[in-house]
Amino acid sequence: MALIKASIVGATGYTGAILTDLLSGHPDVRMHALTSKAYIGRKVSGVFPGLRVDGTYTEYSAGAVSGSDVAFVCYPHGEAHGVVAELVDKGCRVVDLSADYRLKDPAAYQSWYGFVHPHFDLLQEAVFGLPERYRAEIAKARIVANPGCYPTAMLLSVLPAAAEIDSSVIVDAKSGVSGAGRTPSQKTHFCEVNGDFRAYSEVGHRHTAEMVQELGLAAGKALGVSFTPHLLPVDRGIFSTAYFRLAKGLMGTDRLLARYREFYADEAFVEVCDHVPGLGEVTGTNYCRLTVREDAAAGLVKVFAVIDNLVKGASGQAVQNMNCMFGRPEDAGLRRKV
Amino acid sequence: MALIKASIVGATGYTGAILTDLLSGHPDVRMHALTSKAYIGRKVSGVFPGLRVDGTYTEYSAGAVSGSDVAFVCYPHGEAHGVVAELVDKGCRVVDLSADYRLKDPAAYQSWYGFVHPHFDLLQEAVFGLPERYRAEIAKARIVANPGCYPTAMLLSVLPAAAEIDSSVIVDAKSGVSGAGRTPSQKTHFCEVNGDFRAYSEVGHRHTAEMVQELGLAAGKALGVSFTPHLLPVDRGIFSTAYFRLAKGLMGTDRLLARYREFYADEAFVEVCDHVPGLGEVTGTNYCRLTVREDAAAGLVKVFAVIDNLVKGASGQAVQNMNCMFGRPEDAGLRRKV
Amino acid sequence: MALIKASIVGATGYTGAILTDLLSGHPDVRMHALTSKAYIGRKVSGVFPGLRVDGTYTEYSAGAVSGSDVAFVCYPHGEAHGVVAELVDKGCRVVDLSADYRLKDPAAYQSWYGFVHPHFDLLQEAVFGLPERYRAEIAKARIVANPGCYPTAMLLSVLPAAAEIDSSVIVDAKSGVSGAGRTPSQKTHFCEVNGDFRAYSEVGHRHTAEMVQELGLAAGKALGVSFTPHLLPVDRGIFSTAYFRLAKGLMGTDRLLARYREFYADEAFVEVCDHVPGLGEVTGTNYCRLTVREDAAAGLVKVFAVIDNLVKGASGQAVQNMNCMFGRPEDAGLRRKV
Amino acid sequence: MALIKASIVGATGYTGAILTDLLSGHPDVRMHALTSKAYIGRKVSGVFPGLRVDGTYTEYSAGAVSGSDVAFVCYPHGEAHGVVAELVDKGCRVVDLSADYRLKDPAAYQSWYGFVHPHFDLLQEAVFGLPERYRAEIAKARIVANPGCYPTAMLLSVLPAAAEIDSSVIVDAKSGVSGAGRTPSQKTHFCEVNGDFRAYSEVGHRHTAEMVQELGLAAGKALGVSFTPHLLPVDRGIFSTAYFRLAKGLMGTDRLLARYREFYADEAFVEVCDHVPGLGEVTGTNYCRLTVREDAAAGLVKVFAVIDNLVKGASGQAVQNMNCMFGRPEDAGLRRKV
């Protein structure tokens, strides 16, 4: 097969850096453009000394990037939709790592993100890029909306049980600091984070919208989601704890585990395990590892899931989506640590 | 007033060390005996170079310790009840930092802790040492059962609303590593904890029993508790997130905050704040800082509370209890960082 | 004695916050003005939720501040000298935490700091604020130049041996991140620091100038200093390792320890210990703890010293200087952790 | 070429785990036995959940292991020499990760390690496994003594200049906690290490012996080494700062850098860079990255080097040695992160 010509738009954030690492080591990929706003003309290895990758950052232009087979857009929410539309228009397939094409309801962009989405048609066309659920659609998509990091962990935690959840899910999730991005701020200062821990966006974090949308589609009915993110003093990783009740009542931890194992039996990157997994088991990898428990006394199911927020929660999943889009094995280029 | 003669039984764990620091700086206390099994004859400053405290560890004997007005017993669960009984019998008042006198139902010791409790009468007599709830009883108690670290954070989070909680509380709590004690083990090895995070005792952690008992007493009816502890890569601190529904339905965050502020208006060590507090705001102190939110879309109340697990979660609260027992201001000796 | 009226100019960096904590708890101090550029009108507890201190930040004006008995100036190097001159002119005594009055040679400001110092006379008048060496002069000073954090650790490490050092000292020092200040930058981003370690300003760090000046004065002759700072993934603390040879040759670790103990016998804040101290033994305190070893095989002396960079390395030492200036016990207000 | 049959003796420490990871992903290797004392019969993935490797730990026996082409011995110092001798006797080539065959002078084992070495002949035969210096000898060796982690960083720092160093080297090195091994102890407890930093074995650490031996051989004359290790609150990595003077005097940083670049021009795993490298640039890799500076004012050269103590400092270098021994490209299996 021919090599896939790939570009990264906005390559100098943390997700851009991991994507650069993954794509430069991917056996089926040829890097095309790496664009940046702040580092034009700088070498990759000069900006990220830990990346042993050739290449120089260039300024974005639709012309240059659209020569690629696929472009990964790593712009902030609200700044990506125009570039995505432009590139698709020029015949380039896109994996968008922002939230700009994840929600189906255009009105949701006003209420959750505060802008009017100008591309209703593309919003309907875009496919939510969770391969474990939409791989057939992803294979044909022009626009893949790569899921948020928290929704990835949460959805993989609840999909096997979605149809039987009684009314709502509580998601208490904890993320490493890289989830806040590479731009310095008071809240990511080492001295503010080290030895500390707290919840943030404690009611109504934007990722709730994706969770509600996709859980509802999977369950076939609207279910509530109460999502609370917390900031962990670690670089990378999300630990998600989901709580819900089953409409039918108790079924026992063993049967729950069997159900989850069966559901994910053919998945390359979802590992159902007996123990409660720690972040370290997936750091640097594209795996989601999870387990499930019944708390019989409380009548609750608990699901514990870990991912690396920058890999399965962002850039690794983006590559997995690219593999789907171009008919490659889903794990191509994704079996090494980054 | 006369000085209080105080001893610490089992003074060389983390709670013992913090107690030693607090008591040695307490204006109303004269240190009597500091006992240890592993460090007999060693100086305090030799075992804990950060403690600038005179004193030498001695072997435990009821005779030596019972000369104190109060003894703090810092033995592991199951090993404390005999020593407590012995000291009380000799006329010494006791603050027990183990779980051995926290539960009222003797049968609970078999089901939760795996031993038959030999002192039914003392169990009934002992007072649960949460001053914010039982200070009148503590003032007269011979045995004060100092609460567990997680129950302290959880109970302070739910007491103001207890009477109106509809059926159950979910508690997703995160603790620093000092909560696991000072004895080395694989799970407290730096390389196993650093950069990691995970739940443990993920169904049926023993502290659930205290939470159920005390929440039920406060609510006037049995309420369910689903408690899940997690291990944070920090030394000290507990962050507790509690989720529950109110029987009456929604009331709004402002009214909830007002309710909590009123409930704790006279408390020296409970601070209700507008923002979500981080661990660092209470590290080294006896404060519990908390806030409350209504998640209207999900119909839920969320309470976020932080304490230092070794201070308000253990040794600081023990001193606060001692202050109550001996008629001192509750904050005596507790206004400096340890 | 009357209370000392104290102001802090530039109170919202890390050194300002620690000073605020120390002064607000100091028995002999009444806080006057707390000035800030970025937080005018904000409450102390709003900017630093961990500080349980009343007070509101105001804009700097010489008039307002000069009503104080003493002002602590916490401005960056090059921005402090004018304010200091202005305040002294109005009759206020000053402890300057910047480097602007530490060097005696005006030309040094051009070569090390890149500006022409406009106050030659005040430079000569200012006293280098290391109380262990200059307490008599500090007592009478109008301007005390509080030493840098690294020079404090280094000088306390070498002073007892200064007269006998043969030709030069190598100082390999490691600092926590708070030493880089509170303003966010790429290099203080949690993800850049956590799990990492490196040297910086690896030849010719500015603190070298203070070390050379003061070591030379103590030794009575010019001695070389090769200083290399490194950034530690911890919040607070400096660990300084100094290497030098004695002109007379070997004398043995025991005699070195005895020499150091004798030298610091009357010091409240320098602790010579047998073991190699760790940062944790001084975190939050004004102590410098150190030990000395002879490496006989290599013919070298090694001195290991720890301080908290924000306390003995900055704000604590500033308060110690104030105590000297106003005839208070040197440890007044400095025996609790901050 | 045929696959190399490889065994690991003592596979359940940190070096064993990294070796297991590296060898199981090596294209030219077939895993034979993985032995353990504590985990016999346990699966690899059960002991190390982060390792996605098949295999079960077995008890050591010379018979079973000697069926391998090469055995990696990961026993503690003093416990390895007998096993190594036994395996060599049965025709198996050995890479010994302990110190038992690193020193040429048998008497050194008494003075530095406290035991009489029973295999004088094998000691002479064994090759010091630093491929950058001894690759020709390693290619033919029956026993390769894999260097210590600190000596690896230190020797790579000084070899290009060894012939011109005037009399001695000061090495101030800082290691992550994994260097202390996987067995829990007070000193590796999270709460003792986190936020802390200190020197240990501050005079006469055993690795000094290797440094003196190999530096002397490289320089053609005896040179002194004063080595001081420090414990960093990170999992993995060594940062080594070496200080020395050149007999000829100053030559300038540029010429030093050129010298170092030329010396390592053909090396796959030594990267000379312009900037001072941080640990994170080599974590998980077999690279040593270093730079050199002249401190003209002090007449000193400083060399800053980083390695991952478990990879280039242990298991990665062991695989690099194996590649040499069996005629494979030196970087085979070593281009991915572990």
Side-chain angles (χ1 to χ4, degrees):
Chain A
M1 274 189 181
L3 292 178
I4 305 164
K5 255 170 91 178
S7 291
I8 305 175
V9 177
T12 50
Y14 286 137
T15 54
I18 297 284
L19 255 178
T20 303
D21 194 350
L22 284 169
L23 293 175
S24 67
H26 194 297
D28 301 345
V29 167
R30 184 155 62 86
M31 289 298 302
H32 188 55
L34 296 170
T35 85
S36 170
K37 291 177 178 167
Y39 298 97
I40 297 167
R42 298 272 304 272
K43 288 191 169 186
V44 172
S45 61
V47 178
F48 298 104
L51 282 187
R52 289 165 180 85
V53 171
D54 289 330
T56 301
Y57 298 109
T58 58
E59 191 170 7
Y60 171 79
S61 80
V65 172
S66 64
S68 324
D69 298 308
V70 62
F72 296 87
V73 177
C74 305
Y75 277 177
H77 310 318
E79 299 180 26
H81 56 76
V83 169
V84 171
E86 185 173 59
L87 290 171
V88 166
D89 188 55
K90 289 196 179 294
C92 185
R93 298 173 80 180
V94 176
V95 180
D96 178 17
L97 284 87
S98 85
D100 284 5
Y101 290 90
R102 293 179 196 155
L103 304 181
K104 289 300 167 198
D105 176 7
Y109 283 94
Q110 272 181 275
S111 54
W112 290 97
Y113 289 92
F115 70 90
V116 178
H117 202 294
H119 301 288
F120 279 27
D121 49 340
L122 293 179
L123 216 48
Q124 300 318 312
E125 179 189 336
V127 177
F128 191 76
L130 192 68
E132 289 76 9
R133 185 151 162 73
Y134 294 112
R135 57 172 53 90
E137 294 84 345
I138 292 164
K140 297 172 286 184
R142 288 200 303 171
I143 302 176
V144 173
N146 215 54
C149 49
Y150 287 120
T152 295
M154 179 273 192
L155 291 169
L156 293 174
S157 294
V158 299
L159 287 181
E164 298 173 46
I165 293 174
D166 76 339
S167 67
S168 65
V169 178
I170 290 175
V171 186
D172 189 295
K174 303 89 179 170
S175 172
V177 182
S178 58
R182 189 166 166 257
T183 305
S185 71
Q186 206 68 53
K187 72 179 182 185
T188 60
H189 192 297
F190 183 83
C191 299
E192 305 298 316
V193 174
N194 188 42
D196 211 340
F197 182 80
R198 73 181 69 216
Y200 66 96
S201 302
E202 69 273 12
V203 175
H205 184 284
R206 290 163 168 183
H207 282 178
T208 308
E210 290 170 52
M211 296 178 183
V212 168
Q213 169 182 295
E214 292 300 319
L215 176 59
L217 288 169
K221 63 177 175 187
L223 291 171
V225 174
S226 182
F227 165 55
T228 314
H230 301 70
L231 187 67
L232 270 175
V234 306
D235 290 7
R236 288 162 65 169
I238 284 180
F239 190 101
S240 167
T241 313
Y243 302 93
F244 54 83
R245 293 175 200 279
L246 296 176
K248 299 186 197 175
L250 302 179
M251 61 187 285
T253 291
D254 288 350
R255 285 175 57 201
L256 280 165
L257 275 168
R259 163 86 59 96
Y260 272 66
R261 285 216 162 83
E262 190 189 345
F263 191 89
Y264 288 124
D266 298 328
E267 291 300 334
F269 291 116
V270 184
E271 302 177 319
V272 180
C273 58
D274 287 330
H275 65 284
V276 176
L279 295 183
E281 299 175 27
V282 298
T283 305
T285 79
N286 198 49
Y287 293 98
C288 174
R289 192 172 265 190
L290 55 82
T291 198
V292 57
R293 294 289 184 278
E294 186 173 275
D295 183 344
L300 269 179
V301 176
K302 305 180 182 184
V303 189
F304 304 99
V306 288
I307 60 170
D308 184 320
N309 59 305
L310 294 180
V311 190
K312 183 62 178 169
S315 306
Q317 184 144 272
V319 172
Q320 191 180 352
N321 280 319
M322 179 197 75
N323 288 338
C324 287
M325 293 163 83
F326 291 86
R328 312 298 155 120
E330 232 169 83
D331 65 347
L334 287 170
R335 291 292 184 188
R336 66 191 178 86
K337 283 195 184 174
V338 286
Chain B
M1 275 190 181
L3 291 178
I4 305 165
K5 254 170 89 179
S7 291
I8 306 175
V9 176
T12 50
Y14 286 136
T15 54
I18 298 286
L19 255 178
T20 303
D21 194 350
L22 284 170
L23 293 175
S24 66
H26 194 297
D28 301 344
V29 167
R30 183 155 62 85
M31 289 298 303
H32 188 56
L34 296 169
T35 85
S36 170
K37 291 176 178 168
Y39 298 96
I40 297 166
R42 298 273 303 273
K43 290 190 167 186
V44 172
S45 60
V47 177
F48 298 104
L51 284 186
R52 288 164 180 84
V53 171
D54 290 329
T56 301
Y57 298 110
T58 57
E59 193 169 6
Y60 171 80
S61 80
V65 172
S66 63
S68 325
D69 299 308
V70 62
F72 296 87
V73 176
C74 304
Y75 277 177
H77 309 319
E79 298 180 27
H81 55 75
V83 169
V84 171
E86 188 172 58
L87 291 171
V88 166
D89 189 54
K90 289 195 180 295
C92 184
R93 297 173 80 181
V94 175
V95 179
D96 178 18
L97 284 87
S98 84
D100 285 5
Y101 288 91
R102 293 179 196 154
L103 304 181
K104 289 299 167 198
D105 177 7
Y109 283 94
Q110 271 180 277
S111 55
W112 289 97
Y113 287 93
F115 69 90
V116 178
H117 202 294
H119 301 287
F120 279 28
D121 48 340
L122 294 178
L123 217 48
Q124 301 318 313
E125 179 189 335
V127 177
F128 191 77
L130 193 67
E132 288 76 8
R133 184 150 162 73
Y134 294 112
R135 57 171 53 90
E137 295 85 345
I138 292 165
K140 297 171 287 185
R142 289 200 302 170
I143 302 176
V144 173
N146 214 56
C149 48
Y150 288 120
T152 295
M154 179 272 192
L155 290 168
L156 293 174
S157 295
V158 298
L159 286 180
E164 299 173 47
I165 294 174
D166 76 339
S167 67
S168 67
V169 179
I170 290 176
V171 185
D172 190 295
K174 304 87 178 169
S175 172
V177 183
S178 58
R182 190 167 165 255
T183 306
S185 71
Q186 205 68 54
K187 73 178 182 187
T188 59
H189 192 298
F190 182 84
C191 299
E192 305 298 316
V193 174
N194 187 42
D196 211 341
F197 182 80
R198 74 181 68 216
Y200 66 95
S201 303
E202 69 273 13
V203 176
H205 185 283
R206 290 161 167 184
H207 282 178
T208 308
E210 290 171 53
M211 296 177 183
V212 168
Q213 168 182 298
E214 293 299 320
L215 176 59
L217 287 168
K221 64 177 176 189
L223 291 171
V225 174
S226 183
F227 166 53
T228 313
H230 302 69
L231 187 67
L232 271 175
V234 306
D235 289 7
R236 288 162 65 170
I238 283 180
F239 190 101
S240 168
T241 314
Y243 303 93
F244 54 83
R245 293 175 200 279
L246 296 176
K248 300 186 196 174
L250 301 178
M251 62 187 283
T253 291
D254 288 349
R255 285 176 57 204
L256 280 166
L257 275 168
R259 163 86 58 92
Y260 272 67
R261 285 217 163 82
E262 189 189 347
F263 192 90
Y264 289 124
D266 298 328
E267 291 300 334
F269 292 116
V270 184
E271 302 177 318
V272 180
C273 57
D274 287 331
H275 66 284
V276 177
L279 295 184
E281 299 174 27
V282 297
T283 305
T285 80
N286 197 49
Y287 293 98
C288 175
R289 192 171 266 189
L290 54 81
T291 197
V292 57
R293 293 288 183 280
E294 186 173 273
D295 183 345
L300 269 179
V301 176
K302 306 179 183 184
V303 189
F304 304 99
V306 288
I307 59 170
D308 184 321
N309 58 306
L310 294 180
V311 190
K312 183 61 178 170
S315 306
Q317 184 144 272
V319 172
Q320 192 181 352
N321 280 318
M322 180 196 75
N323 288 337
C324 287
M325 292 163 82
F326 291 87
R328 313 298 156 119
E330 231 169 83
D331 65 347
L334 287 170
R335 290 289 181 191
R336 66 191 179 86
K337 282 197 185 174
V338 286
Chain C
M1 273 189 181
L3 291 179
I4 306 165
K5 253 170 90 178
S7 291
I8 305 175
V9 177
T12 50
Y14 287 136
T15 53
I18 297 285
L19 255 178
T20 303
D21 194 350
L22 284 169
L23 293 175
S24 67
H26 194 296
D28 301 344
V29 167
R30 183 156 61 87
M31 289 299 303
H32 188 55
L34 296 170
T35 85
S36 170
K37 292 177 178 166
Y39 299 96
I40 297 166
R42 298 272 305 272
K43 289 192 167 185
V44 172
S45 60
V47 178
F48 298 104
L51 282 187
R52 288 165 180 84
V53 171
D54 289 330
T56 301
Y57 298 109
T58 57
E59 192 168 7
Y60 171 79
S61 80
V65 171
S66 63
S68 324
D69 299 308
V70 62
F72 296 86
V73 177
C74 305
Y75 277 177
H77 311 317
E79 299 179 26
H81 55 76
V83 170
V84 171
E86 187 173 58
L87 291 170
V88 165
D89 189 54
K90 290 196 179 295
C92 185
R93 298 173 79 181
V94 176
V95 180
D96 178 17
L97 284 86
S98 85
D100 284 6
Y101 289 91
R102 293 179 197 155
L103 304 182
K104 290 299 167 199
D105 177 8
Y109 283 94
Q110 272 181 275
S111 54
W112 289 97
Y113 288 92
F115 69 90
V116 177
H117 201 295
H119 302 287
F120 279 28
D121 48 341
L122 294 179
L123 217 47
Q124 300 317 312
E125 179 190 336
V127 177
F128 191 78
L130 193 67
E132 288 77 7
R133 185 151 162 74
Y134 295 112
R135 57 171 54 90
E137 294 84 346
I138 293 164
K140 297 170 287 186
R142 288 200 304 169
I143 301 176
V144 173
N146 215 54
C149 49
Y150 287 120
T152 295
M154 179 273 192
L155 290 168
L156 294 175
S157 295
V158 299
L159 286 180
E164 299 173 47
I165 293 174
D166 76 338
S167 67
S168 67
V169 179
I170 290 176
V171 185
D172 189 295
K174 304 87 180 171
S175 172
V177 184
S178 58
R182 189 166 166 257
T183 306
S185 70
Q186 205 69 52
K187 73 178 180 185
T188 59
H189 191 297
F190 182 84
C191 299
E192 305 299 315
V193 174
N194 187 42
D196 211 340
F197 182 81
R198 74 181 68 216
Y200 66 96
S201 302
E202 69 273 12
V203 175
H205 184 284
R206 290 161 167 184
H207 282 178
T208 308
E210 290 171 52
M211 296 178 184
V212 168
Q213 169 183 297
E214 293 300 319
L215 177 60
L217 288 168
K221 62 178 175 188
L223 291 172
V225 174
S226 182
F227 165 54
T228 314
H230 301 70
L231 187 67
L232 270 175
V234 306
D235 288 7
R236 288 161 64 168
I238 283 180
F239 190 102
S240 166
T241 313
Y243 303 92
F244 54 82
R245 292 175 201 279
L246 295 176
K248 299 186 196 174
L250 301 179
M251 61 186 286
T253 291
D254 288 349
R255 286 175 58 203
L256 281 166
L257 275 168
R259 163 86 60 92
Y260 272 66
R261 285 217 162 81
E262 190 189 346
F263 191 90
Y264 290 123
D266 298 328
E267 291 300 334
F269 292 116
V270 184
E271 302 177 319
V272 180
C273 58
D274 287 330
H275 66 283
V276 176
L279 296 183
E281 299 175 27
V282 298
T283 305
T285 80
N286 197 49
Y287 293 99
C288 174
R289 192 171 265 189
L290 56 80
T291 197
V292 56
R293 293 289 183 279
E294 186 172 276
D295 182 344
L300 269 179
V301 176
K302 306 180 183 184
V303 188
F304 304 99
V306 288
I307 59 171
D308 184 320
N309 58 305
L310 294 181
V311 190
K312 183 62 178 170
S315 306
Q317 184 145 272
V319 172
Q320 192 181 352
N321 280 319
M322 179 198 74
N323 288 337
C324 287
M325 294 163 81
F326 290 86
R328 313 297 155 120
E330 231 168 84
D331 65 346
L334 288 170
R335 290 292 182 188
R336 65 189 179 87
K337 282 196 186 175
V338 286
Chain D
M1 275 191 181
L3 292 178
I4 304 165
K5 255 170 89 177
S7 291
I8 305 175
V9 177
T12 50
Y14 287 136
T15 54
I18 297 286
L19 255 178
T20 303
D21 194 350
L22 283 170
L23 293 174
S24 68
H26 194 297
D28 301 344
V29 168
R30 183 156 61 87
M31 290 297 303
H32 188 54
L34 296 170
T35 85
S36 170
K37 290 176 179 168
Y39 298 95
I40 297 166
R42 298 272 305 272
K43 289 191 167 184
V44 171
S45 60
V47 177
F48 298 104
L51 283 187
R52 289 166 179 84
V53 170
D54 290 329
T56 301
Y57 297 110
T58 58
E59 192 169 7
Y60 171 78
S61 81
V65 172
S66 64
S68 325
D69 297 309
V70 62
F72 296 86
V73 176
C74 304
Y75 277 177
H77 310 319
E79 297 180 27
H81 55 74
V83 169
V84 171
E86 187 173 59
L87 290 171
V88 165
D89 188 55
K90 288 195 179 296
C92 185
R93 298 172 80 180
V94 176
V95 180
D96 179 19
L97 282 87
S98 85
D100 284 6
Y101 289 91
R102 293 179 195 156
L103 305 181
K104 288 300 167 197
D105 177 7
Y109 283 94
Q110 272 181 275
S111 54
W112 289 96
Y113 287 93
F115 69 90
V116 178
H117 202 295
H119 300 288
F120 279 29
D121 49 339
L122 294 179
L123 217 48
Q124 300 318 311
E125 180 190 336
V127 176
F128 191 78
L130 192 67
E132 288 77 7
R133 184 150 162 76
Y134 295 113
R135 57 171 53 90
E137 295 83 347
I138 291 164
K140 295 170 288 184
R142 288 200 302 171
I143 302 177
V144 173
N146 214 55
C149 48
Y150 287 120
T152 295
M154 179 272 191
L155 290 169
L156 294 174
S157 294
V158 299
L159 287 180
E164 298 173 47
I165 293 173
D166 76 339
S167 68
S168 67
V169 179
I170 290 175
V171 185
D172 189 296
K174 303 87 178 171
S175 172
V177 183
S178 58
R182 190 167 165 255
T183 305
S185 71
Q186 205 68 53
K187 73 177 180 187
T188 60
H189 192 298
F190 182 83
C191 299
E192 305 297 316
V193 174
N194 188 43
D196 211 340
F197 182 80
R198 72 181 69 216
Y200 66 96
S201 302
E202 69 274 13
V203 175
H205 184 284
R206 289 161 168 184
H207 281 178
T208 308
E210 289 169 54
M211 295 178 183
V212 168
Q213 168 182 297
E214 293 300 319
L215 176 59
L217 288 168
K221 64 178 175 186
L223 290 172
V225 174
S226 182
F227 165 54
T228 313
H230 301 69
L231 187 67
L232 272 175
V234 306
D235 289 6
R236 288 161 66 168
I238 283 180
F239 190 100
S240 168
T241 313
Y243 302 93
F244 54 82
R245 291 174 200 281
L246 295 177
K248 298 186 197 174
L250 301 178
M251 62 188 285
T253 291
D254 288 349
R255 285 175 58 202
L256 280 165
L257 275 169
R259 164 86 60 92
Y260 272 66
R261 285 217 162 82
E262 189 188 347
F263 192 89
Y264 289 123
D266 299 328
E267 291 299 335
F269 292 115
V270 184
E271 302 178 318
V272 180
C273 57
D274 287 331
H275 66 284
V276 177
L279 295 183
E281 299 175 27
V282 298
T283 305
T285 79
N286 197 49
Y287 293 98
C288 174
R289 192 172 265 190
L290 55 81
T291 196
V292 57
R293 294 288 183 278
E294 186 172 274
D295 182 344
L300 270 179
V301 176
K302 306 179 182 184
V303 189
F304 303 99
V306 289
I307 60 169
D308 184 320
N309 59 306
L310 294 180
V311 190
K312 183 62 179 170
S315 306
Q317 184 144 273
V319 171
Q320 191 181 351
N321 280 319
M322 180 197 75
N323 288 338
C324 287
M325 293 163 82
F326 291 86
R328 313 297 156 121
E330 231 169 83
D331 65 348
L334 288 170
R335 290 290 181 190
R336 67 191 178 87
K337 283 196 184 175
V338 285

